[in-house]
Amino acid sequence: MSKQRRGSDMFSREAFLARLASKAEERENINKIANFVSAKNLRLSQLLEEKNEIAEETIFILSTKLTTKGLMTLAMAIKHVPSRYSQAGHDECGNFRLYAIGTIMRKAGFVIVVEDLRVYVTLVEARCPTLCSKYEKDFEDVLWKATEEESFNFNCMMTPPVDLCLYCRKPLSTNNKPNKATLFTLSGPIPCTKLRLRCRECDVQYGICSIRDKTGEHLYPKLHRPLLVEASNVNYVDAALYEWIPSLG
């Protein structure tokens, strides 16, 4: 090809459009980097103050701070630890739920200070309530690691099936610190943590499978009855396994 032909090709319509596309791609990449850096440098307090942030933007911002895997692990931890555990106090974290979520995150390799963790949990619950994860197997391994290395069982966290008193409809509060228990399932025993609640107004104790008032102990109404059988104070049997027990005799 002659020099004259090559020179004319440089100024052809196709070459001009190709150069425009290349520059547009470069600008887009620069914008992506700028947006990433900007999001990463955002203060957490700014995220809470911004009321118009949509789920996709919140996910992007949090993933720049935690990485995608960190955000997914956090979402799984939030889903795993019932909100009722926030009523149980904890010396370092303020409440047991934050402690449990923070411990799970730490076992997954993400160390987050309590103040930041509180903001992350608030943001995920308020703006990304349906955020789910494909890391369920990895998350299960993290739960086992937390259970093996800490003083609480993280694999299954049981609470009473109600938030309000069945008598006066007022919010329940914690009665004691969470305790260890075991849940027997078709897949084998699972180490658990259980939390009891109480109504101070009515002096009613709310356990995992039953309530205790001045007249004695009662099962929950069918609407709230969990699919568990309480074998003892610290042992529970999944309903699916319980149905098989008679046939094993």
Side-chain angles (χ1 to χ4, degrees), residues 207-235:
I208 305 302
C209 296
S210 61
I211 60 177
R212 179 181 291 276
D213 59 21
K214 295 177 181 178
T215 64
E217 194 160 1
H218 316 278
L219 293 176
Y220 284 100
K222 287 187 177 181
L223 177 64
H224 302 292
R225 198 169 297 171
L227 298 176
L228 299 172
V229 176
E230 187 171 1
S232 73
N233 190 39
V234 293
N235 292 303

Side-chain angles (χ1 to χ4, degrees), residues 44-51 53-55 58-59 62 66 71 74-75 77-79 83 86 95 97-98 101 112-131:
L44 291 178
S45 58
Q46 289 178 273
L47 298 181
L48 285 178
E49 292 166 3
E50 180 53 62
K51 304 298 183 183
E53 207 80 61
I54 60 176
T58 302
I59 291 171
L62 291 180
L66 293 171
L71 178 57
L74 176 64
I78 291 172
K79 180 181 178 181
S83 60
S86 62
N95 70 67
R97 188 175 189 236
L98 276 182
I101 293 173
I112 308 172
V113 298
V114 176
E115 293 76 12
D116 290 351
L117 181 63
R118 185 176 288 107
V119 176
Y120 289 144
V121 171
T122 300
L123 287 170
V124 171
E125 290 188 318
R127 299 180 188 170
C128 319
T130 60
L131 183 62

Side-chain angles (χ1 to χ4, degrees), residues 10 17 23 45 67 89 92 128 138 151 167 180 204-205 239:
M10 291 177 60
L17 292 176
K23 289 184 179 296
S45 58
T67 73
E92 297 177 9
C128 319
D138 292 341
S151 58
Y167 297 90
K180 290 184 177 181
V204 177
Q205 305 285 337

Side-chain angles (χ1 to χ4, degrees), residues 178-223:
N179 297 311
K180 290 184 177 181
T182 301
L183 173 63
F184 294 90
T185 72
L186 289 171
S187 302
I190 299 175
C192 303
T193 293
K194 70 168 189 173
L195 180 69
R196 293 178 63 88
L197 300 175
R198 67 174 295 191
C199 176
R200 299 181 187 277
E201 294 287 333
C202 303
D203 193 24
V204 177
Q205 305 285 337
Y206 287 80
I208 305 302
C209 296
S210 61
I211 60 177
R212 179 181 291 276
D213 59 21
K214 295 177 181 178
T215 64
E217 194 160 1
H218 316 278
L219 293 176
Y220 284 100
K222 287 187 177 181
L223 177 64

